[in-house]
């Protein structure tokens, strides 16, 4: 058995993931990490680094964490961004119940 972690947007419903407001360009300091993740998920071209596992539940997985972190760093103009730093923000989201970590056991 393998354990893998998936993430879930707390309180997200199917309608929220399709919102048009997510496609509006944003300024550097006005986007939150969770919004950035939703924008990546909205574009199928990003499937090699982030994808829905159960979209109806808001559940997704990061398949290329370093690339997600690199793009977040580019957007926020933080050249030193890596997954260790991005994961700190995710842990903060866990504490604030914005995103939940789900352990998936594969047989």
């Amino acid at each position: 058995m393998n354990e893998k972690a998936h993430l879930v947007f707390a309180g997200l419903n199917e309608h929220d993931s399709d919102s048009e407001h997510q496609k509006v360009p944003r300024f550097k300091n006005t986007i939150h990490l969770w919004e950035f993740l939703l924008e990546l998920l909205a574009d199928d071209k990003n499937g090699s680094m982030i994808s829905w596992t159960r979209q109806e539940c808001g559940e997704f997985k990061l398949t290329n964490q370093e690339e997600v972190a690199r793009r977040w760093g580019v957007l926020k103009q933080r050249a030193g961004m890596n997954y260790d730093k991005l994961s700190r923000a995710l842990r903060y989201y866990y504490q604030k119940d914005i995103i939940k970590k789900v352990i998936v056991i594969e047989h």
Side-chain angles (χ1 to χ4, degrees):
M1 283 189 285
N2 287 339
E3 282 189 5
K4 293 188 176 183
H6 291 187
L7 304 173
V8 176
F9 289 104
L12 178 71
N13 64 40
E14 189 173 350
H15 175 73
D16 293 334
S17 64
D18 294 333
S19 296
E20 286 300 313
H21 77 275
Q22 296 166 8
K23 298 181 181 170
V24 175
R26 302 176 191 277
F27 294 103
K28 171 186 175 240
N29 291 323
T30 61
I31 188 169
H32 298 264
L33 176 58
W34 65 267
E35 293 171 307
F36 171 74
L37 295 173
L38 279 174
E39 288 178 1
L40 289 178
L41 285 161
D43 189 344
D44 290 336
K45 289 184 267 183
N46 299 319
S48 65
M49 69 178 131
I50 186 171
S51 61
W52 292 110
T53 52
R54 294 189 314 156
Q55 185 173 359
E56 68 280 2
C57 299
E59 184 179 300
F60 65 100
K61 65 179 176 177
L62 299 175
T63 49
N64 186 341
Q65 300 98 328
E66 286 298 332
E67 181 61 16
V68 171
R70 187 192 69 76
R71 290 189 185 197
W72 176 243
V74 168
L75 179 68
K76 299 301 275 187
Q77 298 178 359
R78 302 210 180 262
M81 180 59 65
N82 58 33
Y83 184 67
D84 285 339
K85 294 175 183 175
L86 181 80
S87 66
R88 278 188 225 134
L90 290 173
R91 285 192 298 274
Y92 173 79
Y93 279 3
Y94 303 157
Q95 293 172 352
K96 297 297 181 185
D97 207 27
I98 297 167
I99 291 179
K100 297 178 183 182
K101 190 173 191 176
V102 177
I103 302 299
V104 177
I105 299 174
E106 296 179 346
H107 297 277

